[in-house]
Amino acid sequence: MLEKEFRNEDPPGKIIALILFIVSLIGGGSFAVKLGLQGFPPLKMALFRCILGLIAVGGIGFYYGISMRLRFEELPRLLIIAVLYIGHTITLNVGTHLTTASRSTIFFTLYPLFTVLFGHFWLPNDRLSPKKVLGLLIAFTGVFVTLAPNLQSGITTTCLIGDLIVLLAACFLGLRITLTKVLFRIFTPTGFLFGYWV
């Protein structure tokens, strides 16, 4: 039964273009966080980000007439996702504050590795295969080779602590993405986003 609920189909071109756009936004995320941290402390910026997200998602839902009502039995699932979101946002902001934007980007973009690892255990059709493992190794080797000079310069204890905290943020995001796929089938997308921000 679970096999039918998780459909992994080849995405159409529009979806691929949207994913590439979203990935480009994520790639610039650490740089944007580093800029924002010049004017806000890490936790205040995380709160501001959540408020903006709540306004954006709530506004879209209101405009399209999508119900934001949540049932009581949905709350435990939403709380799990919310805790992971809060953990991911706080650790990303704090870690980026302690390290450089380029190093933060490198370590945060490891979140797909965690997503694939968690998906192997929780998503029936997302098992690890030799091709997936090889693809992941090639992709992340490419990232490290390209940005190796940035990793080797300016290393301090504070910087290394920041790197580890950003890596934890990537782990939180990978777990959140996996659990979102598990739980998403019982929520509308807008209601889901709105619910865990509230």
Side-chain angles (χ1 to χ4, degrees):
M1 184 172 176
L2 279 175
E3 297 288 338
K4 294 179 181 177
E5 291 175 355
F6 294 100
R7 296 184 331 196
N8 289 326
E9 302 169 352
D10 290 334
K14 287 181 181 178
I15 297 297
I16 292 173
L18 178 62
I19 290 170
L20 289 174
F21 173 70
I22 291 170
V23 167
S24 69
L25 291 178
I26 292 172
S30 295
F31 177 71
V33 167
K34 196 69 175 179
L35 282 178
L37 287 170
Q38 294 176 5
F40 294 97
L43 297 184
K44 186 181 281 188
M45 194 170 84
L47 177 63
F48 186 61
R49 176 181 170 182
C50 288
I51 291 169
L52 284 178
L54 185 63
I55 292 169
V57 173
I60 291 169
F62 179 77
Y63 179 78
Y64 286 105
I66 299 170
S67 173
M68 300 290 177
R69 187 171 299 170
L70 297 171
R71 298 186 303 269
F72 180 75
E73 59 270 16
E74 295 171 346
L75 291 179
R77 295 181 180 98
L78 281 174
L79 283 173
I80 292 169
I81 299 298
V83 166
L84 289 171
Y85 175 78
I86 291 166
H88 141 243
T89 303
I90 290 173
T91 50
L92 176 61
N93 289 355
V94 171
T96 302
H97 181 66
L98 297 174
T99 189
T100 65
S102 57
R103 293 171 69 89
S104 175
T105 301
I106 293 168
F107 288 103
F108 188 63
T109 52
L110 290 174
Y111 79 88
L113 177 61
F114 292 107
T115 304
V116 170
L117 290 175
F118 291 130
H120 176 75
F121 296 104
W122 281 323
L123 301 174
N125 292 338
D126 277 342
R127 303 290 185 223
L128 279 172
S129 66
K131 279 186 180 179
K132 282 186 181 179
V133 172
L134 181 61
L136 286 169
L137 289 175
I138 290 171
F140 292 116
T141 300
V143 170
F144 280 109
V145 167
T146 303
L147 300 172
N150 288 327
L151 280 175
Q152 293 170 356
S153 62
I155 297 176
T156 64
T157 302
T158 302
C159 206
L160 289 174
I161 292 170
D163 294 343
L164 292 174
I165 294 173
V166 171
L167 192 61
L168 180 60
C171 181
F172 281 142
L173 179 58
L175 181 56
R176 182 168 65 91
I177 289 170
T178 303
L179 291 182
T180 297
K181 173 114 182 183
V182 172
L183 302 175
F184 211 84
R185 62 187 185 275
I186 65 171
F187 297 101
T188 63
T190 313
F192 180 83
L193 288 170
F194 189 83
Y196 82 80
W197 268 320
V198 172

